Amino acid sequence: MIDFRFEIIIEYLPFFMKGMLWTIMMSLIGVLMGTILGFFIALGKMLPSKLLRLPFIWYINFFRGTPLLVQLFLFHFAVLPAILDSVNPIVSVVVTLSLNSAAYVAEIFRAGIQSIDRGQAEAAHSLGMNKIQVMRYVILPQAFRRMIPPLGNEFIVLLKDSSLGAIIAAPELLYWGRAATGQYYRVWEPYLTVALIYLILTLTLTYLLNYVERRFATT
Amino acid sequence: MISVKNLKKSFGDLEVLKDINVEIKPKEVVVVIGPSGSGKSTFLRCLNLIESITGGSVEIEGKDITAKKTDINKLRAEVGMVFQQFNLFPHKTVIENITLPMMTVRKWKKEAAIQKAKELLDKVGLKEKADVYPDSLSGGQKQRVAIARALGMEPKVMLFDEPTSALDPEMVGEVLEVMKQLALEGMTMVVVTHEMGFAREVGDRVLFMDEGYIVEENEPQALFGNPQHERTQAFLSKVL
Amino acid sequence: MNKLLKLLVLMSIILLAACGTDSKDKLTVATDAAFAPFEYMDKGEMVGFDVDLLAAVMEEAGFDYELKNTGWEPMLASVQGGDADLAIAAITINDDRKESYDFSSPYFESTHMVVFPEGENITSAEDIKGLKIGVQTGTTGADAAEKIVGKNDESISKYESNSLAFMSLGSGDVDVVVTDNVVASEYVKNNPEAEVDMINDQEAFESEFYGLMFPKDSEVRAEIDAALQTVIEDGTYAEIYEEWFGTEPNLDALKSASK
């Protein structure tokens, strides 16, 4: 720590920037797909029939109960090669992150929806609204407000989890940190820089989510 | 108007409604009284299928509400319901609470819905509260909005589930006043309540329920003045 | 609350003291035991060529030592920070790294192989240009490949480990893997069903040399380096080398590289 070699950081800065863009892109798609997928899994998990619920319950069990790294390996080396002509680590990371975060998002959605007082749905039904209308106009707007903080948490975790892509050579942020360490055998310069960039990204996300939360609190 | 035959309802092993039979005529105001746990709220909630039915039948205007071909949402729109806990939508303003079901269920145009909602708010005395959120209203005001919201669907019958039980005493009157007005206009009403004064003054008929049965029914004067069944007598001696 | 705080303070003091009282007469050697056959875990024991060589050198130099499996990055950090006195982990000596560390003379010559699916028409190192190349990040294989296609070129994928690079070769993620000869033969030995060929291009791939890694201005470096020379010259080195690699070492290459 006595001698901090800034020239290593400067040399690798363009790579860190490029890696950051991949990190942002993978995370954005992961968040988007995870949220959409998670919503439907949450609905599936709330189906009235026990048998129909089962696949959704096990989807969540699998993705929450096994290491993300192993899931990444499974998709990158087994599942995706069987489906796609050519594998690409970025695609593998995006797919794995989306599916994985969908499991967590599903639980956030379910908890949010079930936290709304039953009287709300009863009142809406008593007025003649159908299930979809009750969900869309009454339950979800209220549930969503409560889901913003845990969703924000999940998005931050997802952003950092995207760094696992480094292991299968997806050229994201941490990948370039490792590459710089590999070249100079120095740990602190690359990793602290990478950590700082992650911090900037997560702080930006945090402020964004706080803004959304305030917006929803006032309407 | 409403015809209930052999209605049964169980929650698991607990049989809450054992054998309910009653006919409710158009423009009639029927008040349901009884000790807590007697099944009176459950009975009311079975009438619009907020609670599913275990056995027997409920017909509204000749339509069996549990029949497969009955569109339950369409039917519920014809049956207004007012809850003990108001159940206003907290994320919507007062006027939006009223216009939302008009626009989604009745498919009214926004302008028409707002026009109608304003009339209803005027009717319940809350014209100036149109654009506030329910959180800033008192309990009595909330319940009056809830009544206006139900009326927005132009229902043929209104169900009231202990509408004043969650209110501070000084607010009970303003809600009962609105209900009385409705009765005078000829609305068919089924009211579960502990307000014996209201039952006596507004009710055409009073049902006394206990342990899942309608034990006794009569005109208010007769039931309150000369109860026949000993359980009715015991209950009335406690509440009057 | 107060009691809990006191307990916490006490515990931290004990913890700090435990870290601080590492006896100075015993050398701490850091390694990353995940690189067979140089150093790896065999049923919980650290074994390998480096492990045996280190034992011989330390005996010759007369040092007590403790070999700690710290993992790669902690190994680098602890040598840089002086917490470890040296590291041995098939570490390649090069100029970039000499800026931050001191090294012993070379103790191992590493040459490189291009590994590719059977039947591909690859005859020289130059043929990997334009192909997707897999390497392990921070290895001589990575350096060797970068010397041909350029540093951090987009065609190079740097994996966490050689096994992941080879898996990616199997799944078609990359077209070739560049790695050192020892790792390549180890892979073929352990995966006989993998249908791969490999070539060795002595001209294009310069040899790389492994060395013991010390903090800058290490006080023990000279002594240990002298002991290493003795071990190489008295035949102990060759014995260990043959035991692990089954062939004789090229001592001339080591000698000429150390000058």
Side-chain angles (χ1 to χ4, degrees):
Chain A
M1 292 298 282
I2 312 132
D3 59 329
F4 199 82
R5 291 181 49 200
F6 284 100
E7 69 269 23
I8 296 178
I9 298 173
I10 291 164
E11 185 195 335
Y12 266 87
L13 206 56
F15 296 108
F16 290 158
M17 291 298 118
K18 220 163 61 178
M20 184 183 77
L21 290 182
W22 279 118
T23 293
I24 292 173
M25 205 205 72
M26 294 193 306
S27 305
L28 275 182
I29 301 178
V31 162
L32 205 71
M33 300 298 293
T35 307
I36 295 170
L37 207 62
F39 175 65
F40 288 106
I41 293 165
L43 292 185
K45 209 190 164 185
M46 291 187 289
L47 284 171
S49 148
K50 216 169 188 177
L51 199 70
L52 289 176
R53 277 203 302 265
L54 214 59
F56 299 98
I57 290 171
W58 275 99
Y59 178 94
I60 294 172
N61 284 347
F62 173 75
F63 280 101
R64 289 204 311 179
T66 59
L68 182 56
L69 181 63
V70 178
Q71 293 166 17
L72 184 60
F73 284 171
L74 263 176
F75 281 97
H76 186 61
F77 291 118
V79 178
L80 289 179
I83 304 168
L84 304 171
D85 285 343
S86 71
V87 279
N88 170 324
I90 299 265
V91 173
S92 301
V93 173
V94 167
V95 168
T96 312
L97 279 183
S98 302
L99 294 176
N100 181 276
S101 77
Y104 287 90
V105 169
E107 285 298 84
I108 293 171
F109 269 106
R110 188 185 58 81
I113 289 169
Q114 291 183 344
S115 77
I116 303 302
D117 182 53
R118 266 184 53 188
Q120 290 290 309
E122 285 178 0
H125 276 303
S126 81
L127 290 159
M129 292 192 192
N130 62 36
K131 278 186 176 148
I132 294 171
Q133 290 169 332
V134 172
M135 223 5 134
R136 177 169 162 204
Y137 296 111
V138 178
I139 305 295
L140 282 183
Q142 295 183 60
F144 190 63
R145 205 181 298 183
R146 294 187 197 180
M147 291 179 321
I148 295 170
L151 275 180
N153 239 340
E154 170 56 24
F155 295 161
I156 286 172
V157 169
L158 183 143
L159 180 86
K160 292 193 290 178
D161 277 350
S162 69
S163 63
L164 276 181
I167 289 171
I168 57 164
E172 47 72 71
L173 189 45
L174 187 67
Y175 172 85
W176 291 112
R178 300 186 69 89
T181 295
Q183 183 183 346
Y184 290 99
Y185 278 22
R186 294 186 64 101
V187 177
W188 296 116
E189 289 86 349
Y191 283 167
L192 286 181
T193 311
V194 164
L196 183 71
I197 299 175
Y198 274 110
L199 185 65
I200 293 169
L201 291 182
T202 51
L203 282 180
T204 312
L205 188 58
T206 306
Y207 279 111
L208 214 71
L209 287 160
N210 285 346
Y211 174 74
V212 173
E213 207 177 329
R214 274 203 310 277
R215 278 293 304 272
F216 268 85
T218 52
T219 53
Chain B
M1 178 94 211
I2 302 179
S3 167
V4 181
K5 292 198 182 93
N6 306 111
L7 175 61
K8 288 186 180 62
K9 169 69 185 175
S10 303
F11 295 103
D13 290 336
L14 184 70
E15 207 175 10
V16 178
L17 299 181
K18 287 166 185 158
D19 187 16
I20 303 287
N21 294 280
V22 68
E23 294 280 338
I24 293 162
K25 296 185 282 293
K27 302 198 175 183
E28 194 178 16
V29 177
V30 174
V31 179
V32 185
I33 61 171
S36 47
S38 59
K40 51 193 194 304
S41 279
T42 307
F43 161 62
L44 197 72
R45 290 158 63 85
C46 283
L47 296 184
N48 66 348
L49 233 51
I50 291 290
E51 216 67 79
S52 63
I53 291 172
T54 313
S57 72
V58 175
E59 283 182 13
I60 293 179
E61 290 199 306
K63 273 186 210 146
D64 181 353
I65 63 171
T66 54
K68 273 230 160 72
K69 62 174 195 287
T70 305
D71 180 347
I72 186 63
N73 295 318
K74 213 167 172 181
L75 195 130
R76 279 174 178 155
E78 308 289 327
V79 181
M81 189 164 202
V82 174
F83 300 83
Q84 184 179 345
Q85 297 297 339
F86 329 125
N87 295 340
L88 294 181
F89 307 136
H91 60 299
K92 300 271 179 201
T93 61
V94 164
I95 195 149
E96 284 167 352
N97 261 275
I98 302 171
T99 55
L100 175 70
M102 289 177 170
M103 285 154 59
T104 53
V105 179
R106 293 283 193 225
K107 310 286 177 205
W108 285 29
K109 289 268 187 306
K110 193 176 179 184
E111 296 73 28
I114 289 175
Q115 184 58 39
K116 169 87 178 167
K118 280 182 175 163
E119 285 168 25
L120 287 166
L121 278 176
D122 195 20
K123 182 180 172 132
V124 299
L126 291 169
K127 201 166 58 176
E128 73 285 4
K129 297 287 188 188
D131 295 319
V132 306
Y133 284 90
D135 270 354
S136 63
L137 298 179
S138 72
Q141 291 171 330
K142 280 182 194 169
Q143 196 61 298
R144 285 188 277 155
V145 173
I147 294 172
R149 180 175 69 179
L151 290 176
M153 305 309 289
E154 301 180 330
K156 299 202 172 79
V157 56
M158 287 281 285
L159 309 177
F160 292 85
D161 186 4
E162 303 200 24
T164 56
S165 295
L167 297 179
D168 291 335
E170 73 270 22
M171 291 168 184
V172 171
E174 63 192 65
V175 173
L176 292 182
E177 200 50 47
V178 172
M179 289 166 64
K180 208 183 292 178
Q181 189 58 39
L182 264 181
L184 285 176
E185 288 168 14
M187 175 64 77
T188 311
M189 291 162 64
V190 183
V191 184
V192 171
T193 188
H194 294 291
E195 295 294 328
M196 297 304 153
F198 178 84
R200 215 190 280 250
E201 189 185 342
V202 186
D204 296 314
R205 188 155 45 122
V206 179
L207 310 184
F208 172 69
M209 278 184 73
D210 194 19
E211 295 184 354
Y213 294 102
I214 295 174
V215 176
E216 187 169 348
E217 61 175 294
N218 214 329
E219 288 171 5
Q221 296 309 331
L223 190 121
F224 288 114
N226 185 21
Q228 298 300 306
H229 202 283
E230 61 182 280
R231 274 192 276 174
T232 320
Q233 291 161 2
F235 174 73
L236 289 177
S237 72
K238 270 182 235 159
V239 298
L240 289 179
Chain C
M1 189 61 211
N2 217 346
K3 256 188 184 167
L4 189 72
L5 200 71
K6 271 184 190 157
L7 189 72
L8 275 175
V9 171
L10 195 71
M11 278 168 65
S12 346
I13 290 172
I14 293 170
L15 211 68
L16 285 172
C19 295
T21 52
D22 257 352
S23 57
K24 265 295 140 197
D25 45 334
K26 206 172 181 184
L27 295 183
T28 302
V29 186
T31 189
D32 176 26
F35 194 62
F38 288 89
E39 49 271 310
Y40 60 101
M41 304 301 289
D42 185 1
K43 300 178 193 77
E45 293 276 318
M46 254 187 284
V47 295
F49 172 76
D50 281 354
V51 178
D52 290 352
L53 179 66
L54 179 73
V57 170
M58 287 307 203
E59 195 188 302
E60 179 63 35
F63 282 118
D64 244 358
Y65 72 100
E66 188 190 355
L67 183 60
K68 281 187 180 167
N69 181 17
T70 61
W72 187 256
E73 277 90 357
M75 175 188 83
L76 302 180
S78 60
V79 172
Q80 199 191 324
D83 295 329
D85 299 287
L86 69 152
I88 183 164
I91 299 167
T92 307
I93 307 165
N94 75 19
D95 290 342
D96 283 339
R97 289 158 197 169
K98 276 183 187 164
E99 290 168 19
S100 303
Y101 302 96
D102 281 349
F103 286 90
S104 69
S105 353
Y107 71 84
F108 186 87
E109 183 195 15
S110 158
T111 57
H112 296 97
M113 297 292 225
V114 181
V115 184
F116 49 90
E118 246 172 34
E120 294 291 322
N121 185 24
I122 293 172
T123 52
S124 77
E126 285 294 310
D127 290 344
I128 69 172
K129 279 185 179 166
L131 297 178
K132 286 190 281 177
I133 305 156
V135 297
Q136 179 184 355
T137 188
T139 57
T140 53
D143 297 342
E146 288 190 326
K147 271 178 194 152
I148 291 171
V149 296
K151 199 195 265 185
N152 287 328
D153 189 84
E154 292 208 343
S155 65
I156 295 183
S157 291
K158 297 176 176 181
Y159 291 91
E160 168 84 8
S161 69
N162 271 309
S163 23
L164 284 171
F166 282 123
M167 270 182 91
S168 301
L169 182 69
S171 71
D173 203 359
V174 293
D175 303 317
V176 298
V177 167
V178 177
T179 185
D180 43 272
N181 48 349
V182 179
V183 171
S185 18
E186 192 75 7
Y187 171 70
V188 172
K189 197 174 85 191
N190 286 317
N191 299 276
E193 77 289 348
E195 289 164 347
V196 293
D197 277 339
M198 43 189 169
I199 57 145
N200 177 355
D201 188 333
Q202 297 277 12
E203 282 167 39
F205 292 136
E206 291 168 37
S207 288
E208 305 280 349
F209 294 93
Y210 297 165
L212 304 178
M213 190 170 81
F214 299 86
K216 274 276 175 206
D217 306 319
S218 161
E219 286 167 9
V220 293
R221 193 190 74 94
E223 258 179 278
I224 291 175
D225 201 27
L228 173 64
Q229 292 311 319
T230 311
V231 167
I232 291 174
E233 274 157 26
D234 71 6
T236 317
Y237 174 84
E239 254 175 58
I240 300 171
Y241 191 100
E242 280 183 43
E243 189 192 325
W244 284 100
F245 304 113
T247 56
E248 278 182 30
N250 181 354
L251 293 178
D252 293 338
L254 283 188
K255 272 178 201 139
S256 60
S258 60
K259 272 158 202 162

